[in-house]
Amino acid sequence: MIRSFLAACLVAACLLVSWQPAGAADGKTHVLWLGQAAAKITTPGGKVIVIDPFLVKNPKTPAKYKDLSALGHVDLILVTHAHFDHVADAPALAKLNKAPMWGPPGMADTFVTLGVLPAELAPRMNKGGQAHPLGPDITITMVRAEHSSELKWVDPMTGKEQLFNGGQPCGWIITMENGFKLYHMGDTGLFGDMQLIADYYKPQLIMIPIGGHFVLSPVDAAYATNTWLKPKFAIPIHYATIPVLKGTPAEYMQALGSGSGTKVFPINPGDELTF
Ligand SMILES: [Zn+2]
């Protein structure tokens, strides 16, 4: 009897040691790339932020993440613009977690007007603004991106896909509890204010699109990285999801050259990095 009680205690103790809730605070920033521009960020304090959730129909997303509940609890959703390969699962994820979806204000307004999201899950801010939806220790900053943001959505009144106002595209800088800054650039071409963003916000890690055609090519991305942004770390994203996104991490790294001060992580969807 005592022996089985002790065994049960031992099992319970092991569970306590090995069990970590999703989004456990370990003092580090975790970046889980999920294909295209989608990423799950766990902050040093354990908050979970999902950026550009295009998962269910994303051919590059690992199968297990096509179930939105597999992300665990999500505290905040950030969307860079209203194109399907960025916003597709955002409203569903917001409702599943009762977590706010921050994105271009025009896009937020459209989702509220269409009845897709209640206003409290689609708050408004704009480029150049900062907000603290997760408390004072984490800052989100909306910055410029050179792209467009039409919203194609099934109109609940007609049942047909229609084009709506999706506001203007943006990038997001997340300043973590320990000051570490991640700049998710969204979809963008080159623009000179990348220099301003680098000088003013000084992000250490960029998630940079490299596929070309709709966004930076590997050569464009290397120019922005070496000339303006000069981050410590870069994760190339938004390539190979569809055939026209031809740019590769190898081309990006070759264009950066051996003298670049930026360390590139050419990871695969489903890989997680810790900073
Ligand atoms: Zn895109």
Side-chain angles (χ1 to χ4, degrees):
M1 185 71 181
I2 290 174
R3 189 180 283 178
S4 62
F5 174 73
L6 286 174
C9 287
L10 197 62
V11 168
C14 287
L15 283 174
L16 274 177
V17 170
S18 61
W19 181 79
Q20 275 199 319
D26 66 358
K28 303 210 165 102
T29 298
H30 297 259
V31 179
L32 170 65
W33 183 44
L34 293 168
Q36 197 69 334
K40 175 186 174 182
I41 313 296
T42 306
T43 74
K47 298 291 187 190
V48 174
I49 303 171
V50 174
I51 309 178
D52 281 359
F54 166 48
L55 305 170
V56 176
K57 292 188 176 169
N58 183 339
K60 296 292 181 184
T61 299
K64 71 172 183 172
Y65 292 109
K66 289 178 183 289
D67 172 4
L68 296 182
S69 62
L71 292 166
H73 180 73
V74 175
D75 298 296
L76 174 67
I77 298 143
L78 300 179
V79 176
T80 61
H81 61 293
H83 292 166
F84 187 77
D85 60 319
H86 298 259
V87 76
D89 300 313
L93 199 58
K95 284 190 271 196
L96 179 67
N97 291 279
K98 296 186 172 54
M101 179 205 72
W102 293 74
M107 184 185 83
D109 289 346
T110 297
F111 279 134
V112 173
T113 304
L114 289 176
V116 176
L117 282 177
E120 65 269 21
L121 294 186
R124 302 176 88 252
M125 67 182 291
N126 220 321
K127 284 180 279 189
Q130 296 193 319
H132 303 91
L134 298 175
D137 296 337
I138 298 171
T139 303
I140 59 168
T141 306
M142 184 187 271
V143 295
R144 182 182 165 187
E146 185 71 13
H147 199 63
S148 66
S149 186
E150 314 80 37
L151 175 62
K152 272 190 201 167
W153 204 257
V154 175
D155 187 330
M157 303 298 285
T158 64
K160 290 181 184 162
E161 188 177 74
Q162 291 185 4
L163 208 57
F164 297 96
N165 175 20
Q168 291 189 358
C170 68
W172 288 105
I173 296 171
I174 307 169
T175 309
M176 311 291 168
E177 296 94 329
N178 61 359
F180 186 77
K181 287 183 187 171
L182 181 161
Y183 173 24
H184 187 294
M185 300 175 68
D187 278 7
T188 190
L190 288 170
F191 59 94
D193 281 355
M194 286 180 187
Q195 171 93 68
L196 172 72
I197 290 168
D199 287 350
Y200 193 62
Y201 298 109
K202 299 182 174 58
Q204 291 101 328
L205 167 64
I206 60 170
M207 298 185 78
I208 184 165
I210 64 159
H213 194 88
F214 296 108
V215 295
L216 299 166
S217 70
V219 171
D220 297 339
Y223 182 86
T225 304
N226 276 346
T227 310
W228 293 325
L229 296 165
K230 298 178 183 160
K232 267 174 116 165
F233 310 112
I235 302 173
I237 60 171
H238 208 278
Y239 62 90
T241 316
I242 53 173
V244 78
L245 296 172
K246 288 187 171 62
T248 65
E251 291 168 333
Y252 173 51
M253 291 163 80
Q254 188 182 14
L256 281 171
S258 55
S260 175
T262 299
K263 179 170 174 47
V264 177
F265 295 97
I267 57 175
N268 295 307
D271 288 347
E272 182 174 312
L273 297 170
T274 302
F275 297 91

